[in-house]
Amino acid sequence: MGRGRQKAKHTKIARELKAYSPDVNYAALERELGHPSSEDDQYVDKWADEYADEDEDELEKA
């Protein structure tokens, strides 16, 4: 295959890939990744129990 045909083939494939937009099921993706979907958990500090507050550390030193 000559360089002209090869380039044309690559150009055609590139155009097809550029126009390709798959349908994404975001709910299934969210479940798979393990993120909670409820908005109640949105405002919960998941790191609250891991570290002491800075104010508590200053009170203990005084």
Side-chain angles (χ1 to χ4, degrees), residues 21-37:
S21 60
D23 294 331
V24 178
N25 186 347
Y26 291 106
L29 180 62
E30 188 175 24
R31 281 193 309 271
E32 184 177 334
L33 294 175
H35 291 286
S37 60

PDB file of all heavy atoms in Angstrom, residues 21-37:
ATOM      1  N   SER A  21     -19.054   9.184  19.763  1.00  0.00           N
ATOM      2  CA  SER A  21     -19.398   9.589  21.125  1.00  0.00           C
ATOM      3  C   SER A  21     -20.290   8.511  21.734  1.00  0.00           C
ATOM      4  O   SER A  21     -21.489   8.445  21.475  1.00  0.00           O
ATOM      5  CB  SER A  21     -20.104  10.939  21.132  1.00  0.00           C
ATOM      6  OG  SER A  21     -21.288  10.874  20.380  1.00  0.00           O
ATOM      7  N   PRO A  22     -19.718   7.642  22.542  1.00  0.00           N
ATOM      8  CA  PRO A  22     -20.490   6.548  23.114  1.00  0.00           C
ATOM      9  C   PRO A  22     -21.471   7.045  24.181  1.00  0.00           C
ATOM     10  O   PRO A  22     -21.256   8.083  24.810  1.00  0.00           O
ATOM     11  CB  PRO A  22     -19.420   5.653  23.739  1.00  0.00           C
ATOM     12  CG  PRO A  22     -18.322   6.601  24.081  1.00  0.00           C
ATOM     13  CD  PRO A  22     -18.343   7.643  23.001  1.00  0.00           C
ATOM     14  N   ASP A  23     -22.550   6.308  24.365  1.00  0.00           N
ATOM     15  CA  ASP A  23     -23.496   6.609  25.438  1.00  0.00           C
ATOM     16  C   ASP A  23     -22.903   6.114  26.752  1.00  0.00           C
ATOM     17  O   ASP A  23     -22.430   4.982  26.843  1.00  0.00           O
ATOM     18  CB  ASP A  23     -24.835   5.912  25.184  1.00  0.00           C
ATOM     19  CG  ASP A  23     -25.528   6.463  23.945  1.00  0.00           C
ATOM     20  OD1 ASP A  23     -25.315   7.639  23.626  1.00  0.00           O
ATOM     21  OD2 ASP A  23     -26.278   5.701  23.315  1.00  0.00           O
ATOM     22  N   VAL A  24     -22.928   6.967  27.754  1.00  0.00           N
ATOM     23  CA  VAL A  24     -22.341   6.623  29.040  1.00  0.00           C
ATOM     24  C   VAL A  24     -23.446   6.542  30.084  1.00  0.00           C
ATOM     25  O   VAL A  24     -24.260   7.451  30.208  1.00  0.00           O
ATOM     26  CB  VAL A  24     -21.302   7.688  29.468  1.00  0.00           C
ATOM     27  CG1 VAL A  24     -20.724   7.352  30.824  1.00  0.00           C
ATOM     28  CG2 VAL A  24     -20.201   7.802  28.436  1.00  0.00           C
ATOM     29  N   ASN A  25     -23.473   5.449  30.813  1.00  0.00           N
ATOM     30  CA  ASN A  25     -24.418   5.283  31.903  1.00  0.00           C
ATOM     31  C   ASN A  25     -23.717   5.754  33.182  1.00  0.00           C
ATOM     32  O   ASN A  25     -22.974   5.009  33.814  1.00  0.00           O
ATOM     33  CB  ASN A  25     -24.843   3.820  32.010  1.00  0.00           C
ATOM     34  CG  ASN A  25     -25.921   3.621  33.037  1.00  0.00           C
ATOM     35  OD1 ASN A  25     -26.203   4.493  33.851  1.00  0.00           O
ATOM     36  ND2 ASN A  25     -26.528   2.439  33.013  1.00  0.00           N
ATOM     37  N   TYR A  26     -23.926   7.013  33.545  1.00  0.00           N
ATOM     38  CA  TYR A  26     -23.218   7.597  34.683  1.00  0.00           C
ATOM     39  C   TYR A  26     -23.635   6.973  36.010  1.00  0.00           C
ATOM     40  O   TYR A  26     -22.828   6.866  36.927  1.00  0.00           O
ATOM     41  CB  TYR A  26     -23.414   9.110  34.708  1.00  0.00           C
ATOM     42  CG  TYR A  26     -22.704   9.802  33.574  1.00  0.00           C
ATOM     43  CD1 TYR A  26     -23.396  10.310  32.489  1.00  0.00           C
ATOM     44  CD2 TYR A  26     -21.324   9.918  33.577  1.00  0.00           C
ATOM     45  CE1 TYR A  26     -22.739  10.925  31.440  1.00  0.00           C
ATOM     46  CE2 TYR A  26     -20.650  10.525  32.530  1.00  0.00           C
ATOM     47  CZ  TYR A  26     -21.368  11.032  31.473  1.00  0.00           C
ATOM     48  OH  TYR A  26     -20.705  11.635  30.434  1.00  0.00           O
ATOM     49  N   ALA A  27     -24.881   6.540  36.133  1.00  0.00           N
ATOM     50  CA  ALA A  27     -25.341   5.911  37.368  1.00  0.00           C
ATOM     51  C   ALA A  27     -24.604   4.589  37.594  1.00  0.00           C
ATOM     52  O   ALA A  27     -24.153   4.300  38.708  1.00  0.00           O
ATOM     53  CB  ALA A  27     -26.845   5.678  37.311  1.00  0.00           C
ATOM     54  N   ALA A  28     -24.452   3.798  36.553  1.00  0.00           N
ATOM     55  CA  ALA A  28     -23.727   2.534  36.681  1.00  0.00           C
ATOM     56  C   ALA A  28     -22.254   2.777  36.964  1.00  0.00           C
ATOM     57  O   ALA A  28     -21.640   2.065  37.767  1.00  0.00           O
ATOM     58  CB  ALA A  28     -23.883   1.709  35.407  1.00  0.00           C
ATOM     59  N   LEU A  29     -21.689   3.794  36.355  1.00  0.00           N
ATOM     60  CA  LEU A  29     -20.292   4.126  36.598  1.00  0.00           C
ATOM     61  C   LEU A  29     -20.083   4.573  38.040  1.00  0.00           C
ATOM     62  O   LEU A  29     -19.115   4.182  38.687  1.00  0.00           O
ATOM     63  CB  LEU A  29     -19.853   5.231  35.628  1.00  0.00           C
ATOM     64  CG  LEU A  29     -18.417   5.698  35.736  1.00  0.00           C
ATOM     65  CD1 LEU A  29     -17.449   4.551  35.443  1.00  0.00           C
ATOM     66  CD2 LEU A  29     -18.163   6.850  34.792  1.00  0.00           C
ATOM     67  N   GLU A  30     -21.005   5.350  38.556  1.00  0.00           N
ATOM     68  CA  GLU A  30     -20.919   5.812  39.947  1.00  0.00           C
ATOM     69  C   GLU A  30     -21.019   4.633  40.916  1.00  0.00           C
ATOM     70  O   GLU A  30     -20.272   4.560  41.888  1.00  0.00           O
ATOM     71  CB  GLU A  30     -22.045   6.821  40.212  1.00  0.00           C
ATOM     72  CG  GLU A  30     -21.946   7.493  41.549  1.00  0.00           C
ATOM     73  CD  GLU A  30     -23.012   8.558  41.718  1.00  0.00           C
ATOM     74  OE1 GLU A  30     -24.059   8.489  41.047  1.00  0.00           O
ATOM     75  OE2 GLU A  30     -22.797   9.447  42.543  1.00  0.00           O
ATOM     76  N   ARG A  31     -21.911   3.692  40.637  1.00  0.00           N
ATOM     77  CA  ARG A  31     -22.027   2.501  41.493  1.00  0.00           C
ATOM     78  C   ARG A  31     -20.746   1.680  41.439  1.00  0.00           C
ATOM     79  O   ARG A  31     -20.282   1.160  42.456  1.00  0.00           O
ATOM     80  CB  ARG A  31     -23.211   1.647  41.050  1.00  0.00           C
ATOM     81  CG  ARG A  31     -24.541   2.143  41.523  1.00  0.00           C
ATOM     82  CD  ARG A  31     -25.630   1.095  41.313  1.00  0.00           C
ATOM     83  NE  ARG A  31     -25.660   0.557  39.953  1.00  0.00           N
ATOM     84  CZ  ARG A  31     -26.354   1.062  38.939  1.00  0.00           C
ATOM     85  NH1 ARG A  31     -27.067   2.153  39.120  1.00  0.00           N
ATOM     86  NH2 ARG A  31     -26.324   0.491  37.754  1.00  0.00           N
ATOM     87  N   GLU A  32     -20.172   1.547  40.258  1.00  0.00           N
ATOM     88  CA  GLU A  32     -18.968   0.743  40.092  1.00  0.00           C
ATOM     89  C   GLU A  32     -17.784   1.363  40.838  1.00  0.00           C
ATOM     90  O   GLU A  32     -16.972   0.649  41.423  1.00  0.00           O
ATOM     91  CB  GLU A  32     -18.639   0.618  38.607  1.00  0.00           C
ATOM     92  CG  GLU A  32     -17.456  -0.268  38.326  1.00  0.00           C
ATOM     93  CD  GLU A  32     -17.191  -0.423  36.842  1.00  0.00           C
ATOM     94  OE1 GLU A  32     -18.141  -0.285  36.044  1.00  0.00           O
ATOM     95  OE2 GLU A  32     -16.033  -0.686  36.488  1.00  0.00           O
ATOM     96  N   LEU A  33     -17.697   2.662  40.817  1.00  0.00           N
ATOM     97  CA  LEU A  33     -16.597   3.335  41.496  1.00  0.00           C
ATOM     98  C   LEU A  33     -16.821   3.437  43.002  1.00  0.00           C
ATOM     99  O   LEU A  33     -15.898   3.744  43.736  1.00  0.00           O
ATOM    100  CB  LEU A  33     -16.384   4.730  40.907  1.00  0.00           C
ATOM    101  CG  LEU A  33     -15.908   4.738  39.461  1.00  0.00           C
ATOM    102  CD1 LEU A  33     -15.843   6.158  38.940  1.00  0.00           C
ATOM    103  CD2 LEU A  33     -14.556   4.066  39.344  1.00  0.00           C
ATOM    104  N   GLY A  34     -18.042   3.198  43.452  1.00  0.00           N
ATOM    105  CA  GLY A  34     -18.314   3.149  44.878  1.00  0.00           C
ATOM    106  C   GLY A  34     -18.621   4.479  45.519  1.00  0.00           C
ATOM    107  O   GLY A  34     -18.587   4.597  46.735  1.00  0.00           O
ATOM    108  N   HIS A  35     -18.949   5.484  44.736  1.00  0.00           N
ATOM    109  CA  HIS A  35     -19.295   6.772  45.311  1.00  0.00           C
ATOM    110  C   HIS A  35     -20.772   6.776  45.679  1.00  0.00           C
ATOM    111  O   HIS A  35     -21.608   6.309  44.917  1.00  0.00           O
ATOM    112  CB  HIS A  35     -19.020   7.901  44.325  1.00  0.00           C
ATOM    113  CG  HIS A  35     -17.564   8.096  44.088  1.00  0.00           C
ATOM    114  ND1 HIS A  35     -16.742   8.675  45.025  1.00  0.00           N
ATOM    115  CD2 HIS A  35     -16.774   7.788  43.049  1.00  0.00           C
ATOM    116  CE1 HIS A  35     -15.518   8.717  44.551  1.00  0.00           C
ATOM    117  NE2 HIS A  35     -15.504   8.166  43.347  1.00  0.00           N
ATOM    118  N   PRO A  36     -21.107   7.321  46.837  1.00  0.00           N
ATOM    119  CA  PRO A  36     -22.517   7.375  47.223  1.00  0.00           C
ATOM    120  C   PRO A  36     -23.288   8.330  46.323  1.00  0.00           C
ATOM    121  O   PRO A  36     -22.768   9.375  45.927  1.00  0.00           O
ATOM    122  CB  PRO A  36     -22.490   7.895  48.655  1.00  0.00           C
ATOM    123  CG  PRO A  36     -21.187   8.586  48.795  1.00  0.00           C
ATOM    124  CD  PRO A  36     -20.243   7.908  47.854  1.00  0.00           C
ATOM    125  N   SER A  37     -24.494   7.955  45.986  1.00  0.00           N
ATOM    126  CA  SER A  37     -25.284   8.789  45.094  1.00  0.00           C
ATOM    127  C   SER A  37     -26.240   9.693  45.853  1.00  0.00           C
ATOM    128  O   SER A  37     -26.785  10.623  45.295  1.00  0.00           O
ATOM    129  CB  SER A  37     -26.075   7.920  44.115  1.00  0.00           C
ATOM    130  OG  SER A  37     -26.942   7.074  44.827  1.00  0.00           O
TER     131      SER A  37
END
